[in-house]
Every structure is written in structure tokens, then in C-alpha cells.
């Protein structure tokens, strides 16, 4: 495969409603899309970093900078830039998993399109649709939350995840259980908002029979999570902490988690995501696919990953209309609580040109021999 160049494209999409987590409120999704042009096929990807470094240390413009000045020049200089060579070449640079994931995925997509092979088949996907959950933000009042949850259950989502923070934890969970019953698969996500000293408060969630509590403590506190796991009955799931298959293995061995959220951006790409899946599967640890408010480009690839056999819990793989009035691709829809895994070559989707043109705020072309 001969690389001609890489197009970086910035865009911005309004969300259907503000999405509040313990680290802030988002009303737009700023996007960085990549289009790799080769002599055989084009490869699309989406960088999942947020506009500001509030979920993790990465942020969109920082990711664009490291892709332009560090990662892409390294990849473009390879004599045979297949996706594994690109992935290996990027390893000497520390961190920047989301930037690496975006670049690696553009190579993976181009390569698979040239081979006429879908990402799901390439990764080892076993199903043609995946059960989808929905992530529900922190709200101003409990009635607002109950209305939102009622709407999602009506749409057919098979699992509800409530964002929590100190002051918004036991009461919203209790209210959802009282209104919708004990049968609704329910979990919470704290996005690192607690300390191990809050164990007693978090143990108050135990009677509500949650599937899991996601990332209660700071990302670097594996030991704290292991201590907390002994103090609460609700299973602990890690998100922000799991930055590689090695960290997943460490966390499991330490007893810091019994469930893992896999986000390809957070671990550096789909190849590493598969390794995280394999490590967890070998330990009998269930995994599920996280979300970063992706457009159809990132969502398509996540659905392929979520079709692997170790993904036994519903993911944050909601339909496009959970976040966007108009997606950049043909929208993904919910059918009986499930979303279809794309079957076309590569990630299986491309942006709709007119929509993309309308939403784009800036593009930059990086020639391979630049
Ligand atoms: O794409 O459905 C989605 C988002 C799911 O809650 C979600 N993601 O910590 O898991 C998480 C958050 C990270 C992004 S919050 C702005
Ligand atoms: Mg999370």
C-alpha cells in the first residue's frame, strides 16, 4: 500500500441535549476526522479525544498536533506501512493513545477496504448485532432524570447507565429502581469523582443490585480500587484506568476490577482493544464497549469490536439519535435494543459528503512525502 497523504478534518456537531458528567457538561461534540489516502483505498477514522483534557490528558488539538508532527511522519516513512508496522512504529512515542488509535484505525480501515474484509470479521466478531445500553447524564432534578430514563426504556435500550458524582448517587439510583423496578439492568459511572474514603457512601448503592460501578476513583489508583472492591458488593468496572492490555492484566491480578470497559481510543486502537479483550476473557472477566460520543465513523468501528465473544454486557453503543440530530454517516438505529454491526469492508461506513461539507470547520492535507 502506497500512502499519498492524510487529511485532517475538524467539525463540530451540536448534541441533542447537554450531557453532564462529574467532570463537566458538554453541549457540542467537536470532531477530528482522519481520511488516509492510499493507492488502493481510503481509510476513515475519528479521534475520540474531547475538546478539553477533562476525561483524560488528551485533547483534540493536541491530538491533531501529535498526529501531524510526530505520528504520521513516522508512519509515512515506513517502506511497507501495513497496520501492524504502523502500530509498532508508534510505540516508541509515549502516551497519546487517542491520537495513535485514530491514525492506526485510518490505516486499518484502508487496508481492510483494499482486502474487501470487514473490521468485525478481521477482529473475530461472532454476532451481527449488539445489545445496546445508554448513558444518562447528571440532571438538575430527579423528575427530569426519570423522564429521560423513561424515554430511553421506551426506545428499547436494554441497559441504563447513570452518571453519578458526590451528591448525585444514592438518590437517583433509588428513584430509578422505585419507578422502573429491579429488573432493569442498571449501572453507574463516577468518572473518578470519589476517593477510597467514600467507601461507606458507595456501599449504600449495594442494595440496588447494580451491574457495576464504573471508575469510582482516580485513574492511577488501582490499589484504591482493590481496597474499595473489598468494601462494596457492587462489582467494580474500570474505564479511565485501563490504558493497555498490560494495565488490564495488572488491575485484574490486583483485584481492582471484575469487569472492564474497553474504549479503543483509550488503549491506543483496535489491535490493543482485542488484546485487552483476550486478557479479560482468559481471566473470566466480562468486558463491554465504552463510548466517547462518537459519530457514525467511530461508532461503526466500536460495533465491530463489540461483536467479539467476550463482550457479554451491553455497551455504550447507542443509536446515532442518542447524541445527534444528524450524524455524519447514515445513522445507526436501535432495533429491539440492538444495533447492527456493519458488514461492508473496513469500518463499513463513510461520511455523507454533503453533511460532512456542511459541518466541517477546517481541513488540512498532509502529503506523505511532506
Ligand atoms: O458514547 O454513549 C457514549 C458516551 C458514554 O458515558 C459515556 N462516556 O466515562 O464512559 C464514560 C463517558 C466518557 C465521555 S463523557 C463526555
Ligand atoms: Mg466511563
Amino acid at each position: 500500500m502506497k500512502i499519498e497523504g492524510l487529511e485532517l478534518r475538524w467539525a463540530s456537531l451540536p448534541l441533542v441535549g447537554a450531557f453532564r458528567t462529574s467532570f463537566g457538561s458538554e453541549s457540542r461534540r467537536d470532531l477530528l476526522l482522519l481520511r488516509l489516502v492510499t493507492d488502493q483505498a481510503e481509510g476513515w477514522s475519528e479521534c475520540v479525544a474531547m475538546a478539553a483534557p477533562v476525561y483524560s490528558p488528551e485533547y483534540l488539538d493536541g491530538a491533531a498536533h501529535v498526529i501531524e508532527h510526530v505520528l504520521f511522519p513516522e508512519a509515512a516513512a515506513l517502506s511497507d506501512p501495513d497496520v501492524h508496522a504502523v502500530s509498532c512504529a508508534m510505540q516508541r512515542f509515549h502516551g497519546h493513545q487517542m491520537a495513535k488509535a485514530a491514525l492506526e484505525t485510518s490505516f486499518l480501515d484502508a487496508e481492510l477496504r483494499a482486502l474487501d474484509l470487514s473490521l468485525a470479521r478481521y477482529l473475530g466478531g461472532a454476532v451481527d448485532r449488539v445489545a445496546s445500553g445508554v448513558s444518562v447524564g447528571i440532571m438538575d432534578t430527579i423528575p427530569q432524570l426519570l423522564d429521560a430514563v423513561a424515554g430511553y426504556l421506551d426506545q428499547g435500550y436494554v441497559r441504563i447507565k447513570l452518571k453519578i458524582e458526590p451528591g448525585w448517587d444514592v438518590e437517583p439510583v433509588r428513584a430509578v429502581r422505585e419507578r422502573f423496578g429491579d429488573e432493569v439492568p442498571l449501572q453507574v459511572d463516577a468518572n473518578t469523582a470519589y476517593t477510597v474514603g467514600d467507601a461507606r457512601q458507595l456501599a449504600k448503592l449495594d442494595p440496588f443490585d447494580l451491574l457495576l460501578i464504573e471508575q469510582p476513583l482516580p485513574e492511577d489508583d488501582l490499589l484504591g480500587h482493590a481496597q474499595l472492591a473489598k468494601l462494596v458488593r457492587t462489582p467494580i468496572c474500570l474505564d479511565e484506568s485501563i490504558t493497555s492490555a498490560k494495565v488490564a492484566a495488572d488491575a485484574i491480578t490486583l483485584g481492582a476490577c471484575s469487569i472492564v470497559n474497553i474504549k479503543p481510543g483509550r488503549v491506543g486502537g483496535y489491535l490493543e482493544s482485542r488484546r485487552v479483550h483476550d486478557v479479560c476473557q482468559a481471566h473470566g472477566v466480562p468486558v463491554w464497549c465504552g463510548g466517547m460520543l462518537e459519530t457514525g465513523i467511530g461508532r461503526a468501528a466500536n460495533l465491530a469490536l463489540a461483536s467479539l465473544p467476550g463482550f457479554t454486557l451491553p455497551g455504550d453503543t447507542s443509536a446515532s439519535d442518542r447524541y445527534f440530530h444528524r450524524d455524519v454517516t447514515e445513522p445507526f438505529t436501535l432495533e429491539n435494543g440492538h444495533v447492527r454491526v456493519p458488514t461492508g469492508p473496513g469500518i463499513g461506513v463513510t461520511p455523507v459528503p454533503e453533511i460532512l461539507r456542511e459541518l466541517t470547520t477546517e481541513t488540512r492535507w498532509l502529503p506523505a512525502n511532506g
Side-chain angles (χ1 to χ4, degrees):
M1 203 163 69
K2 191 180 165 316
I3 308 303
E4 291 172 12
L6 179 71
E7 183 185 73
L8 303 183
R9 183 181 283 262
W10 287 262
S12 185
L13 264 115
L15 298 181
V16 293
F19 183 56
R20 186 171 145 209
T21 65
S22 63
F23 58 76
S25 182
E26 317 285 327
S27 55
R28 305 189 68 77
R29 184 56 167 122
D30 288 337
L31 299 176
L32 173 64
L33 297 179
L34 271 54
R35 181 172 65 96
L36 181 76
V37 181
T38 80
D39 60 342
Q40 292 172 36
E42 290 189 358
W44 284 94
S45 69
E46 171 173 358
C47 181
V48 300
M50 315 215 50
V54 284
Y55 164 83
S56 76
E58 291 187 82
Y59 63 101
L60 270 188
D61 286 344
H65 187 279
V66 79
I67 289 169
E68 177 174 353
H69 297 286
V70 180
L71 304 177
F72 181 62
E74 187 82 3
L78 293 169
S79 56
D80 185 10
D82 75 88
V83 66
H84 296 281
V86 168
S87 185
C88 287
M90 291 194 292
Q91 272 172 20
R92 73 188 183 91
F93 304 114
H94 290 242
H96 299 284
Q97 282 90 339
M98 291 176 177
K100 288 175 178 172
L103 188 62
E104 183 191 279
T105 306
S106 71
F107 278 81
L108 183 56
D109 186 40
E111 196 171 315
L112 293 178
R113 284 183 204 263
L115 292 169
D116 197 23
L117 180 63
S118 74
L119 179 59
R121 280 197 65 189
Y122 171 77
L123 291 173
V127 292
D128 56 12
R129 50 180 217 149
V130 300
S132 290
V134 62
S135 178
V136 187
I138 295 167
M139 310 251 162
D140 291 335
T141 66
I142 299 277
Q144 269 179 344
L145 175 73
L146 295 178
D147 282 352
V149 171
Y152 293 130
L153 290 174
D154 281 349
Q155 289 171 45
Y157 284 106
V158 300
R159 178 276 274 156
I160 300 290
K161 156 166 142 180
L162 302 183
K163 290 290 191 179
I164 59 166
E165 65 184 1
W168 182 266
D169 43 31
V170 178
E171 287 321 309
V173 168
R174 185 198 312 282
V176 168
R177 275 286 182 241
E178 278 175 4
R179 165 88 179 267
F180 303 103
D182 295 337
E183 302 305 309
V184 174
L186 185 64
Q187 63 193 52
V188 293
D189 185 1
N191 288 108
T192 77
Y194 294 83
T195 70
V196 79
D198 295 315
R200 271 182 176 210
Q201 177 65 15
L202 294 171
K204 292 182 188 161
L205 295 169
D206 285 343
F208 300 104
D209 209 14
L210 302 178
L211 288 170
L212 57 92
I213 174 167
E214 183 178 344
Q215 198 70 43
L217 312 181
E219 60 199 58
D220 58 359
D221 198 5
L222 286 187
L223 216 50
H225 282 100
Q227 288 170 336
L228 183 65
K230 297 202 177 86
L231 301 171
V232 301
R233 270 205 330 270
T234 309
I236 301 217
C237 168
L238 290 177
D239 171 357
E240 284 90 331
S241 292
I242 306 296
T243 50
S244 67
K246 162 79 168 71
V247 175
D250 289 354
I252 293 166
T253 304
L254 267 172
C257 64
S258 52
I259 300 173
V260 168
N261 162 326
I262 303 184
K263 286 180 184 164
R266 201 192 58 224
V267 303
Y270 289 85
L271 304 179
E272 187 70 2
S273 294
R274 184 167 54 183
R275 290 189 279 268
V276 176
H277 162 273
D278 293 348
V279 162
C280 292
Q281 218 186 13
H283 284 87
V285 167
V287 303
W288 55 282
C289 185
M292 290 296 293
L293 287 70
E294 287 92 345
T295 69
I297 296 293
R299 203 160 290 273
N302 284 351
L303 288 163
L305 178 67
S307 71
L308 268 64
F311 285 77
T312 52
L313 290 168
D316 283 341
T317 45
S318 314
S320 298
D321 67 3
R322 158 66 185 92
Y323 291 108
F324 310 116
H325 293 293
R326 209 172 47 158
D327 205 333
V328 301
T329 61
E330 292 301 328
F332 283 94
T333 56
L334 198 64
E335 300 165 32
N336 290 324
H338 291 68
V339 180
R340 272 181 210 278
V341 179
T343 53
I347 64 169
V349 300
T350 50
V352 178
E354 309 80 68
I355 298 180
L356 192 62
R357 214 173 305 123
E358 233 177 88
L359 298 170
T360 298
T361 51
E362 189 187 337
T363 58
R364 189 169 304 161
W365 174 250
L366 311 175
N369 54 9

